Amino acid sequence: MKEFKITKLTPNDMKYVKMMVQELAEFEKMPDGPKLSIENFQADLKNNRFFGFIAMSEIDDEPAGMALCYMAYSTWEGPFIHMEDLYVRPRFRKSGLGKNLVVAVCKEAKDKNYQRVQWNVLDWNPAREFYNKLGASNLSEKEGWLAYRLEPEQIAKIASKEI
Amino acid sequence: MKEFKITKLTPNDMKYVKMMVQELAEFEKMPDGPKLSIENFQADLKNNRFFGFIAMSEIDDEPAGMALCYMAYSTWEGPFIHMEDLYVRPRFRKSGLGKNLVVAVCKEAKDKNYQRVQWNVLDWNPAREFYNKLGASNLSEKEGWLAYRLEPEQIAKIASKEI
């Protein structure tokens, strides 16, 4: 049985975060997405832009997965956790590690009395079955939520009142 | 023509925020959703859990609308703005105020060089037409993103490894 040590993300882990973000982007079929350097991640962690957990394989001292989160805010229920990336590297899958990373996130939520843990997933991602087993609600299906985004070009146009 | 003054949210505005959050919840057909007190909002604002803009009607010194946001984080592009509530009170609609509130948010994004402004909207909300005119992408449609959520009961079960 594989053994993992799960700890809070620290600046020293950012090299592994960058590597796993790239791996996850490749899995999501968007390999050109990631733009951040190790130094960017280190600065953003220091500024509390995100927090999270990393799993290290105790057998070979290699990163095995991570849950990277940020603090979101509901005007109904206050601060809550948004899980931005939950990732287990391919060779460490089917070991229960994904669940243990979610357990770490939920412990943090319970300790701090946050009322929600939320995340987004692509509709074709088989992880949805795992999320259903955890008892998570699909809010897009249940309530009809859609995600909208402005990109830099539109942001600049709107900011200068060109739209 | 109606005139509005748009300023950054301060602790004194929290009574209006609470009132508008309730009005918006009623519009969204979920009137029992909001649980936060004025004091909760004041503490959360102080702790940088959220930020935003309020529009006051200059004619009668009444709140007319708001854009309430928090800082989210992309592991591809770094910090970005999530607009949690964009609200214009019914009698102040059709005045361009919604757009001016989005302009205020986009100016903030442009000043700080944030690469995204993002938000969620219910599929039946007529505001979607306005968002399309702004040039926003519907990510749920374009990329297939779905929102999932764990509620307190599940969070507690997972935290204590009962699931």
Side-chain angles (χ1 to χ4, degrees), chain A residues 122-151:
Chain A
L122 289 163
D123 51 12
W124 53 262
N125 190 331
R128 285 176 64 191
E129 199 186 324
F130 165 60
Y131 299 149
N132 291 336
K133 278 188 202 157
L134 289 175
S137 315
N138 177 343
L139 289 186
S140 299
E141 194 178 82
K142 195 172 143 191
E143 299 179 355
W145 288 104
L146 302 170
Y148 275 70
R149 182 187 293 169
L150 291 167
E151 308 270 1

Side-chain angles (χ1 to χ4, degrees), chain B residues 10-41:
Chain B
T10 67
N12 280 335
D13 301 318
M14 295 303 112
K15 56 186 180 292
Y16 300 135
V17 166
K18 180 176 155 63
M19 183 188 73
M20 289 191 279
V21 164
Q22 185 63 44
E23 284 182 13
L24 178 54
E26 283 164 18
F27 171 73
E28 287 177 334
K29 304 171 189 170
M30 295 179 270
D32 299 328
K35 310 287 185 206
L36 301 179
S37 66
I38 294 171
E39 292 71 26
N40 290 147
F41 282 117

Side-chain angles (χ1 to χ4, degrees), chain A residues 73 75 85 99 139 147 163, chain B residues 44 73 75 85 99 139 147 163:
Chain A
Y73 191 76
T75 50
D85 283 352
K99 199 177 132 184
L139 289 186
I163 284 180
Chain B
D44 292 338
Y73 192 77
T75 48
D85 284 351
K99 198 176 133 184
L139 290 187
I163 285 179

